Amino acid sequence: FQTRLLAWDMAAQQGRFIGGKEEGLKGDDVLWVDPEGKSLLLAFQQTIYDYPSVYSIDISTNKSTQVVKQRDEIWDWYADDQGVVRTGIGFNSTGWSMIYRKSAEDKFQKVLKAKFDDDDAGFDGFRITQGSDEGYRIMNNEASGKFALYKFNFATRKRGDLVLEHAGNDIDDFDTTLDNKGLYSASFTDDRWRIYWFDPAMKALQESLDKAVGAKQAYVVSRSRDDKMMMVRVGSASDPGSYYAMAQAEGTMKRVAKVNDKLAPADLAPSHYLQYKARDGLDISAYLTLPKGRAAKNLPLIILPHGGPYDVRDEGEYDSDVQFLANRGYAVLQPNFRGSGGYGKGFYEKGEGQWGRAMQDDLDDGMDWLVKAGVADAKRVCLIGGSYGGYAALWGAVRNPERYRCAASFAGISDLARQLKYQITFKISKRYRKDWRKTVQGAEGFDLKTVSPLYNIAALKVPVLLMHGDKDQRVPFKQSQSYADALQAAGKNFEFYPLAGEGHGFSTSANNKQWLDRLEVFLAKYNPVN
């Protein structure tokens, strides 16, 4: 899918695009914002055939000036705290490389080249200090297996002192102060996204916000240079969120915008963070959302695996699909199955080579846990998902037709070998840098057809719903078209709805509504609530 960057004029209440009129898929990559708010550095492709270049954009006029030209295989650019582009990260089919310069006057030099399976060589979150080779970097802590924040020298590529780690989860990102005299904040996700403030004043402010909003979550998303005015987002799994302008001196917060003001939080269902044991003893974290007004006993269940699948996770935030299903009377389980992000290197590696295998076991084990607890009715369970989640839904229906009454897939994968061949040159995971073929396939010589829905249709005994955009560049439309053709030839019970002009997601609310409308009718027919 594509995204585009917007500037919003608070006084005029008008928005407009920032960047080029024509851009490739990789756009809107903001490298640096001028502290005065007058300009920013933006990396984007001029067309889908180009690598990203870096432009200085005048925010008021949208006038752009190219500051770094595209270079072959360089996909990610990074700037220091003063807005100087200092490094670029490149990828090809076998590995990655890094180019670096100490100042704007210096030429870029290739300083590192590595294979994808060299974990320690890889770069994810980092910051470089102006006029120095010193900075910070997120790296794996071998002792704990979690990703933590370290000091780092970019010229020698040597790790320095440990700055911050979390016992149970990876450090996701961090930021430095505007004057670059130190660290400002870092973030991680346990049951929800959290921010750790190095600044004592901000730490105290966050504690006050948390106390004020109760069970909801409050995040400072923007602030003035003197910290007198801040924009605060408040929301939760059962609240799409609102944005407040906070005046620190007056101690007041005024709501300036609400996300989807037609939804009343009182009508939405809260999500609960929980853990269950997989059959091999691995702890699996998940979110469970229960329908309001119904006893948590023998409920119809929807298992909703996330996409990705690697280094991605559900975070317990507002999810329109979850709320839609809960509103219709279903319990919804979102497992962060093995391979999901944020739980450390070991948890990630347990998902390698486990498409359709142990990763699928984790979904089945979540169902069994809820059935044993009396929450779910074992005879009324369906799988629903998009992208990898769509694959997991289709494969679950084939692999265990005795478990599931139906399956629904948006932009799902039916032929793993074909999909792997299609995406083998893509950058899949920024953090772990493992060879994608090995990650998906597992042991050399493993036949991916044995875990592909397309080649196991004879085992399918339950109805299937398919929807796919015919312009999808992430998972080609042919993945669903071929499966639908095979289902038709085999005389299976299925529904297939192509979306004309759509990509790997929903670019319009009309297409999103069509998916939910089709899903509602499908579930009412094959897994009714009553």
Side-chain angles (χ1 to χ4, degrees), residues 139-159:
M139 303 178 70
N140 183 56
N141 183 340
E142 291 86 354
S144 67
K146 304 297 187 294
F147 278 80
L149 180 60
Y150 290 86
K151 291 183 178 179
F152 192 77
N153 186 292
F154 289 86
T156 64
R157 300 181 295 284
K158 297 296 184 182
R159 181 191 312 215

Side-chain angles (χ1 to χ4, degrees), residues 272-321:
H272 309 278
Y273 190 64
L274 51 84
Q275 279 192 335
Y276 61 87
K277 291 283 187 183
R279 63 192 66 183
D280 62 357
L282 186 65
D283 288 325
I284 303 297
S285 299
Y287 294 92
L288 176 65
T289 306
L290 300 174
K292 297 193 70 172
R294 302 194 64 174
K297 183 178 180 181
N298 293 327
L299 292 169
L301 173 66
I302 301 297
I303 298 179
L304 191 68
H306 63 71
Y310 297 108
D311 212 19
V312 178
R313 59 165 289 176
D314 284 311
E315 298 183 351
E317 296 180 327
Y318 173 79
D319 186 304
S320 58
D321 283 3

